[in-house]
Amino acid sequence: SAGKRAIWFNKQHPDTVYVDVRPEVEPDLVADSRELPLDMRGYALVVFDPPHVNFGANADLSKQYGHHTTAEIRDIVERTGKEAHRITKPDALMAFKWNDHDQKLERILELMAPWWEPLFGHTVKVTVGTKHPSATYWVMLRRRA
């Protein structure tokens, strides 16, 4: 998902196709990552930062990022993982960002296991002293054959 391209150093990188379902964030391609209108298998890298928290329909963050139920989040992860497999080269990599506020990383990686193998990763932020302690991870995955 493109979002506001917050993780990118060059937010207009010419070798990148930014995809988001929300036209207001001005992606290169307005599309649902679960059904990409791309017919090629040429991508070598996918960066996937899915929604990861069910904040509730009326929460401020839901107004900013959209409201997603836990079931929808799992569906986005699973079906996007499959779709990313379809459009990538055999040796492709996926940089995957996840926050385990609602669902543990291991459970989410299982959803993509048929298509993507986790190689390595690390915790980049731990939130403690809150109602729901959580950690944010970056994981590098490799496309399965």
Side-chain angles (χ1 to χ4, degrees):
S1 148
K4 301 209 185 289
R5 305 175 189 192
I7 62 170
W8 293 91
F9 293 116
N10 179 352
K11 296 180 185 339
Q12 302 300 323
H13 197 284
D15 294 332
T16 303
V17 178
Y18 297 97
V19 178
D20 201 301
V21 71
R22 302 166 297 163
E24 64 271 16
V25 299
E26 301 178 5
D28 297 326
L29 177 62
V30 177
D32 186 325
S33 61
R34 296 170 285 187
E35 292 185 41
L36 295 168
L38 303 170
D39 255 349
M40 57 187 280
R41 293 185 61 129
Y43 293 93
L45 173 66
V46 173
V47 179
F48 187 25
D49 181 6
H52 52 265
V53 178
N54 176 356
F55 292 109
N58 297 318
D60 287 339
L61 287 172
S62 291
K63 292 173 187 165
Q64 183 176 356
Y65 295 108
H67 174 251
H68 302 281
T69 66
T70 299
E72 286 174 314
I73 291 169
R74 292 176 61 77
D75 183 66
I76 290 168
V77 169
E78 185 171 21
R79 290 179 50 206
T80 298
K82 183 177 182 181
E83 189 67 350
H85 185 272
R86 180 184 70 80
I87 66 161
T88 53
K89 295 179 180 182
D91 60 347
L93 297 172
M94 177 189 287
F96 179 70
K97 181 181 172 195
W98 186 252
N99 180 282
D100 69 356
H101 181 275
D102 284 348
Q103 302 178 67
K104 294 298 175 201
L105 175 66
E106 295 77 19
R107 187 171 181 203
I108 292 301
L109 292 176
E110 287 174 7
L111 296 173
M112 293 192 295
W115 308 284
W116 297 92
E117 172 191 15
L119 298 176
F120 58 89
H122 69 106
T123 307
V124 293
K125 181 180 179 184
V126 177
T127 306
V128 293
T130 63
K131 185 177 178 182
H132 300 286
S134 64
T136 299
Y137 301 88
W138 275 100
V139 179
M140 185 64 67
L141 300 104
R142 178 176 56 194
R143 184 184 187 276
R144 295 187 190 270

